[in-house]
Amino acid sequence: MTEYGRGPGSEPWHPEDPLNGDQGWGGQQAAHGQSQYGGPQQPYPQDPYAQQPQQPYPQDPYAQQPQQAYPQHQQYGAPQDPYAQPQQHDPYAQQPQQPQQHDPYAQQAPQPQYNGGWDTGQQAAMPYGAPPNDPYGNGTNGYGESHDHYGTPEAYPPPQPPGRRAAAPEQAPPQNPDWDPDVPQEETHPFFTGADDDRDGRDPRDDDDEYDDDPRRGGGRGGSERRGKGKKKSRNGCACLVVAVVLAGGVGGAGYVGYTYWQNKFGAAPDYSGQGSGSVEVEIPEGALGNEIGSILKAKGVVKSVDAFIAAQAENPEGKSIQAGAYLLHKEMSAAEAVKMMLDPKSQNVLTVPEGWRNAAVYKLIDKKLGLKAGTTGDVAKKQAGGLGLPQWAKNHPELKDPLEGFLYPATYPAAKGMKPEAVLKQMVTRANEEYGKVDLEASAKKLGLKDPWQLMTVASLVQAEGKYKHDFDKVARVVYNRLKPGNVETNGLLDFDSTVNYAKSQSTLDIGSVKDLRQWKEPYNTYYIHGLPPGPINNPGNAALHSAMNPTPGPWFYFVSVTQDKTLFSVTNAEHNKNVAKYEEERKKSGQ
């Protein structure tokens, strides 16, 4: 029971009183108004409703003690139980109370007592002075004497303030004498043991029936509830099976991905074996690299994989020399055999147009490659020139010997027996348009004082024919432009090129005849007779000659002569040129040419 301060007229508490007990303080307790440590008594008035401060010592007789909960709310004035049994020494246990006399002030109106901010959840204790059986302090009988429930050994200990609560002792976990930490424990979960699937050879649904027959678990819903619960339990095995299948699929997929990755990185590329069978025509475009060629061969069924072809091409010393064109190969060949066959000229169904070749020579080459009668391709070219794809600036030029001259672009093209000549010619014209379209011919012609790209193509063909070596093309182009100038006093506007005479005569020789005779020969392509450029190109110039025609080297030269392969003599005047020509003749005699 809680010990409250007493008002005037109450007796002080004595430690020698047998009803109060010793409480483990070494035989002495501090009396009311006296220090606990033996100091002089403090004479101060006692406030019966003031809260006493708590002391940090085992027992404070004036501190607020936990209160006993009663069935009903009681007023102040009820006496404490004088028959409470003393407890053993416990500094936080409930202190027994001494018997109290009748308090004359107990009949006054009860006042609520402030409990110092600590709420235990219990009702307030009865004040002193009320009879034991009168809970309202008016002298009437109540429900009888109340028994102190905290005074017996089997009672629960009274609640303590937060500052005085002792920590609950930790309970040691129960020891299992059969457990050995060094021995692996057997798995008991039903997922791993299969307990849900087979219990003593019984069907799992048998247990469900027994379980569902319990009316306490059925919820009064009858057989449908039992069937539902049985299905729910039977799903455990299906769920395990689904999880196992998913895991197996994931492991299998990961293994396949890993194997594929290893095969692609470190394994040999898929490949056929042997020389294959049957025949298939394959066309390789200009500028195709190894991976592009491999892709074309794989699409045609020649090789099994692109990587196999790339590896075989790298292993062959001449593998990089595979050229564009048409090839007659076998199906399902090994990559090494395919590379070897493509390097064999017999399997190459292609024809190559060299730089500077005239159209007449190209026509003969096409007839031979396609197995046609001589002159067939030439006749087709004359008849169908307008329908082969010439650009607009290449049309409607008078006095042309061949309207396709300059448009059979030097390159390699597929050509095999059975193909039509116009198809081969169209490939060449198309390629010429592609190459010429990469540069601005019209702008370059205007910058150089020419009428149109057609004249620029004509200059390029002259550079290709007159220049022996590509490193001289830029200066040869300058000689052409210098001779075309109106005020030219060296050649008086005449080009005087032997190459034009040879083209007009469909020949190729150094002995073109006397200059006097050439001055009298009226021929559109005779530059010894006409001033300016011939009607059109005289051959099919390559990319280098076209570039030089567009970018000539600045210089005053009007003449040139090639003495040796590495030496070409350029001169400004005719006298100087004659000296260079004499030197050229002397060099030819020494070399035995």
Side-chain angles (χ1 to χ4, degrees), residues 243-257:
V243 171
V245 171
V246 171
L247 292 177
V251 172
Y256 175 77
V257 172

Side-chain angles (χ1 to χ4, degrees), residues 14-23 82 84 86 96-99:
H14 295 281
E16 297 178 359
D17 192 337
L19 296 178
N20 297 323
D22 188 3
Q23 303 301 325
Q97 308 297 328
Q98 64 181 355

Side-chain angles (χ1 to χ4, degrees), residues 117-129:
W118 174 59
D119 185 7
T120 63
Q122 300 179 359
Q123 302 295 331
M126 293 184 298
Y128 301 102

